[in-house]
């Protein structure tokens, strides 16, 4: 019986140790999962920061390469003020809103000029097409005139044989009589 008691005690101790081992393994798995989630979150944050760095670098390069309105041939401030009302200028000279309104007016003006240019180019192309078709017609007419000239040759020879050709002009008709 003593042996049976020790065996039961050992089995109980084994079960306890097994349960403790499983609990420790579960705890370690939960901790590892928590650490993995934290690592994933930090990795995601790092990727976001790297993307943001790249994006901001590009934006910074665009801003640094911006030359402003230096190279543009803009209308003068006097012309702008003469062409717009105080309300359209949106502020005093030199202010950001004033310059923005000035650039907007300039852009609209240029868009109108571009639109007019495109319309003129379209008209030019249409006229070139008409001109080409008229040239083609005139070139074809040359062959017909040669045919008519050749067909009229016998009549011309007949008139040349008979002497003077009667004139249709009245002054020439009176002079001949």
């Amino acid at each position: 019986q003593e042996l049976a008691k020790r065996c039961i005690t050992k089995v109980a101790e084994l079960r306890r140790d097994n349960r403790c081992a499983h609990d420790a393994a579960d705890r370690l798995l939960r901790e590892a999962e928590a650490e993995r989630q934290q690592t994933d979150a930090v990795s995601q944050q790092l990727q976001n920061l790297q993307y943001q760095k790249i994006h901001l670098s590009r934006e910074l390069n665009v801003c640094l390469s911006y030359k402003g309105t230096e190279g543009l041939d803009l209308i003068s401030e006097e012309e702008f003020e003469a062409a717009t009302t105080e309300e359209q200028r949106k502020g005093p000279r030199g202010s950001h809103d004033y310059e923005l309104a000035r650039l907007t007016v300039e852009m609209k003006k240029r868009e109108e000029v571009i639109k007019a240019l495109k319309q003129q180019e379209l008209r030019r192309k249409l006229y070139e097409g008409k001109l080409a078709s008229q040239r083609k017609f005139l070139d074809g007419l040359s062959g017909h005139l040669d045919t008519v000239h050749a067909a009229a040759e016998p009549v011309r020879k007949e008139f040349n044989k008979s002497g003077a050709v009667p004139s249709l002009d009245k002054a020439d008709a009176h002079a001949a009589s």
Side-chain angles (χ1 to χ4, degrees):
Q1 270 194 320
E2 180 81 25
L3 188 60
K5 258 186 180 181
R6 275 193 296 169
C7 280
I8 290 175
T9 310
K10 290 288 182 188
V11 167
E13 286 175 6
L14 277 174
R15 281 185 176 173
R16 183 195 59 182
D17 290 343
N18 189 19
R19 196 172 30 248
C20 286
H22 280 292
D23 288 343
D26 286 343
R27 184 177 40 82
L28 286 175
L29 284 175
R30 283 192 302 275
E31 288 174 3
E33 180 66 24
E35 289 293 324
R36 188 174 56 77
Q37 286 178 353
Q38 186 178 2
T39 303
D40 288 346
V42 170
S43 296
Q44 184 69 36
Q45 190 177 17
L46 176 64
Q47 284 179 342
N48 289 342
L49 289 172
Q50 287 173 336
Y51 172 77
Q52 191 174 15
K53 176 189 164 200
I54 292 168
H55 175 70
L56 291 175
S57 295
R58 288 180 185 158
E59 289 294 319
L60 184 62
N61 287 336
V62 167
C63 290
L64 290 174
S65 66
Y66 178 67
K67 293 179 181 143
T69 58
E70 298 164 1
L72 294 177
D73 185 25
L74 297 175
I75 59 174
S76 67
E77 289 181 345
E78 290 79 21
E79 288 179 58
F80 171 68
E81 288 176 359
T84 58
T85 63
E86 183 70 34
E87 190 176 287
Q88 290 172 325
R89 287 182 228 139
K90 300 178 182 176
R93 263 191 192 188
S95 70
H96 176 74
D97 290 335
Y98 179 89
E99 291 300 319
L100 189 60
R102 185 173 166 211
L103 290 172
T104 303
V105 167
E106 182 74 24
M107 183 179 68
K108 287 179 182 176
K109 185 178 175 183
R110 288 180 184 211
E111 285 174 348
E112 290 172 3
V113 169
I114 289 171
K115 184 178 178 182
L117 177 67
K118 286 182 181 179
Q119 287 176 346
Q120 292 298 326
E121 286 177 355
L122 182 63
R123 287 181 66 201
R124 181 182 55 87
K125 287 179 183 178
L126 289 173
Y127 284 131
E128 284 176 351
K130 276 177 111 176
L131 186 62
S133 66
Q134 289 174 349
R135 280 189 181 142
K136 185 178 178 183
F137 173 75
L138 289 175
D139 289 343
L141 194 59
S142 173
H144 290 300
L145 289 176
D146 290 341
T147 306
V148 168
H149 181 69
E153 186 67 30
V155 174
R156 202 169 44 112
K157 284 182 182 177
E158 190 63 38
F159 276 118
N160 284 339
K161 282 186 200 175
S162 64
V165 177
S167 177
L168 297 177
D169 192 357
K170 290 183 181 179
D172 289 340
H174 288 293
S177 358

